[in-house]
Amino acid sequence: QLGCRRWQDDDAQTHDLRVDRQLQGLAMPVYVALALQQATYPERVVAGVCHQVAPEDKECFLLDLDRWAPQIRTYFIRHDEAKGPCFARALIQQELLKDEDYYLQLDSHFRLVDGWDELLLAELAACPSARPVLTTLAAAYELPRGHRPGGPDDAMLNRRECMAVLCADKFGDQCPGQDDAFLRIKSRVCRTSFGGMPPPALFWTARFHFSSAQVVRECPYDPFLDYVFFGEEISMAARLFTSGWDLFNPTRTVGYHLQSRSHRPFYTEVQTSELSIRRHRYAKGRLYRLLGDNRNAIAVEAGLGGSAVAPSAPYGLGVQRTMAMYEAFCGITFLDHIITDHGRRGGVVKELLAPTWAEEARSELQSARCLVSPEDWAGRGNAEALHRQFPEATSVERGGGGGGGPSAEVMQALNAVRLREAELRAAITGGMSLEQVLEYGRLCVRLGELSSQAGDAHAATKAFAEALSAAARGAAARGAAEEEALAASAPEQARRRLSLILLQGRALAGLQHFPQAKVVVEEVLVVAGELVFVLDDEVSEVLALEVLALLHRVYEQTDDRVGVEGLLPGLRVLLTNVAMNAERLQGRSPTPPSPPSAPDLQEPPTEGPETVTARLLDAILLLALATGTYAGDTLGRRVFTDCPVELRGSARLRRQLGMLQAGGLFLDLVV
């Protein structure tokens, strides 16, 4: 927990602030130190931490906090005595809470913004209620793959430009692999900040809670919710509402939450004993009864051989409002698992939210990422947990094709490439021409890619090495060809040079020589941009698209966002030239950027034929945004403001804009 000591402000009002932080794994002192350092008045802040650790968990104690020692309260329990987040938060409230006036609860891996203490008091004061509670899922941040506990702070913060509201998602029995039926919540970004007045929140999240400390005295955590994860939040929302507390969404960014679990273990992996499973079932039964979901309560009780009763005071529902009133307020019927549009929208009209279809598509992409990188979902060292829930989806990840070898499609493509390679060799009677070298080199690259997919690393390495050799031979062939054809235009020579260097870069990337590949491909990015403008044809755009695809690959493989930022000038030239070509094609001179205007994105774009130009703009957009910087965002925005509507209105770019808006970017734009 974090808190702060009493002080007198200019209005002679006495304040006291507390933050609750439950330890869930990695380098906890880092988050405590950041919160103390980023407060406007750190001397007023007190931290309280519940350490749930094994004695050998040295990662959790890499930072010396002696400077803050007088302001930190701690409670230690062994990891094998821990019973999940609700139990830990109950301990914090019972053992560490004193006479503070305010209470702030956060996940342990939550980063607050600078000046968070003043910001939260201002947001709370702006709520139109005498008993307000601020709650939010917050924006996300990421840690790079090579992050080391105790190392430099290398977190990458979300650039979301807007506030978000809490909304109903789905019940647990609608989620594959889940063993509960509790309501899930999510956040949806808004196109407005409601004039700085926090709008009502229909739900509550344990990730972030700020209110008067009186909340803890009236609605303390239930210490008998052993191992509960899902069910904690919706039950607390009902308890707070029925106790007369009003929930609100903050209008400003208050902090950032680490979404990925790949850097930390996940507590459910230690919940394997029969006793812990039984206690978890009993806790779920208590919450089903509290919410009036008697059907699921009965199902749980059948497995227990006894009944679970709804919690009584002080851990049950309040008496200021009824449960029926909460269901009407949030748009949920808990017994029948009905979610109304009001609940799905968080009480906000749909025009103020990002498109529903885009949010669903973005969610699918995030789920797909979990299947590619199981530890993002399951926690560090716990990829087995994902396999237990989605065995078919993760079979390739675990077994290189599920133990059945390469797919028929891969083998068919591999045989076709080998056949074409043999035909090309047979047709060559003397030395290879430049065009033959290029075709042969591309075949070798494709052969290497398919061999990798087939699990034949030796064949892949051999093919990529041969492609690299072909690129070197092609350089000599290009010189000879240009001497024979003196009339060859400068643009045509540039195209040949670009093709050869691109071949070299693809071969180096295949060999995983990424530093050399970066040098090679960066060299041709500017050339590609100039070639697109001079030649203004589809072949040049295809080459530019291949350059961007290779750049994306080599920088993604090395997780080098800083390096991608260095590409922005070249990407800017390429985007400008693509836009100018489109203007010339339409018989117009280039025009200054203007805000786009066309129908909104409430309906998903209609699928249609995709042009190379639309794919090229999409690649520029994704690389610009991959920098994780405002400069990259600015360039990405130009894709939708600088290009004619005929280009930015393609189904591909409309889909991208919708998904970006679902993530909180470019909410003021339509295409």
Side-chain angles (χ1 to χ4, degrees), residues 215-224 236 239 243 286 290 311-318:
V215 160
V216 180
R217 301 175 185 110
E218 295 183 13
C219 299
Y221 257 86
D222 184 346
F224 303 107
M236 184 60 80
R239 291 179 59 200
S243 296
R286 283 170 65 86
L290 181 145
S312 57
Y315 307 123
L317 296 174

Side-chain angles (χ1 to χ4, degrees), residues 33-159:
L34 285 173
L36 291 165
Q37 292 168 3
Q38 292 173 311
T40 302
Y41 301 102
E43 70 278 4
R44 302 169 180 171
V45 177
V46 176
V49 181
C50 176
H51 285 289
Q52 303 175 94
V53 293
E56 63 272 17
D57 285 343
K58 297 180 180 179
E59 277 188 359
C60 296
F61 306 98
L62 294 175
L63 190 64
D64 184 358
L65 292 180
D66 282 353
R67 171 188 174 190
W68 308 104
Q71 298 169 242
I72 300 175
R73 303 168 189 166
T74 57
Y75 190 93
F76 283 83
I77 57 174
R78 288 179 55 91
H79 71 290
D80 50 10
E81 297 174 354
K83 300 176 184 177
C86 295
F87 177 70
R89 288 169 176 146
L91 284 177
I92 287 172
Q93 293 180 349
Q94 292 170 4
E95 302 296 334
L96 301 180
L97 179 63
K98 295 185 179 179
D99 59 350
E100 286 74 21
D101 290 339
Y102 294 93
Y103 178 81
L104 173 59
Q105 175 177 301
L106 306 170
D107 273 359
S108 63
H109 36 278
F110 194 102
R111 290 168 176 259
L112 291 159
V113 298
D114 289 336
W116 58 268
D117 48 347
E118 286 194 310
L119 184 154
L120 293 183
L121 289 172
E123 284 280 316
L124 198 68
C127 295
S129 169
R131 289 164 62 84
V133 172
L134 290 172
T135 186
T136 181
L137 286 173
Y141 75 91
E142 299 177 12
L143 295 174
R145 296 174 195 164
H147 173 77
R148 292 179 296 104
D153 183 10
D154 47 10
M156 298 168 286
L157 304 182
N158 188 291
R159 287 115 45 221

Side-chain angles (χ1 to χ4, degrees), residues 322-468:
T322 66
M323 188 63 187
M325 293 172 67
Y326 180 60
E327 288 187 321
F329 171 73
C330 68
I332 307 294
T333 303
F334 290 97
L335 177 60
D336 299 320
H337 287 194
I338 296 173
I339 304 175
T340 66
D341 287 342
H342 176 73
R344 295 187 190 280
R345 297 196 305 264
V348 176
V349 296
K350 69 177 183 179
E351 289 76 16
L352 295 181
L353 300 171
T356 300
W357 66 264
E359 291 179 334
E360 292 173 349
R362 189 168 185 268
S363 178
E364 289 176 4
L365 278 180
Q366 291 173 334
S367 297
R369 178 183 176 184
C370 290
L371 300 180
V372 173
S373 302
E375 290 196 344
D376 282 350
W377 175 90
R380 188 181 61 192
N382 294 335
E384 292 294 324
L386 185 62
H387 177 64
R388 285 197 298 274
Q389 294 204 20
F390 305 102
E392 295 181 1
T394 56
S395 60
V396 174
E397 172 71 21
R398 291 164 48 81
S407 68
E409 292 80 4
V410 168
M411 293 307 301
Q412 183 178 1
L414 195 56
N415 291 332
V417 171
R418 287 170 177 162
L419 178 62
R420 177 55 190 153
E421 180 191 21
E423 292 174 348
L424 184 61
R425 283 182 175 276
I428 298 171
T429 56
M432 287 188 182
S433 67
L434 176 59
E435 295 305 321
Q436 288 173 327
V437 168
L438 286 172
E439 183 180 1
Y440 175 70
R442 293 185 188 115
L443 284 172
C444 289
V445 167
R446 184 60 180 151
L447 185 61
E449 293 170 346
L450 291 169
S451 296
S452 294
Q453 294 178 37
D456 190 344
H458 176 74
T461 299
K462 183 179 178 181
F464 287 128
E466 181 61 20
L468 190 59

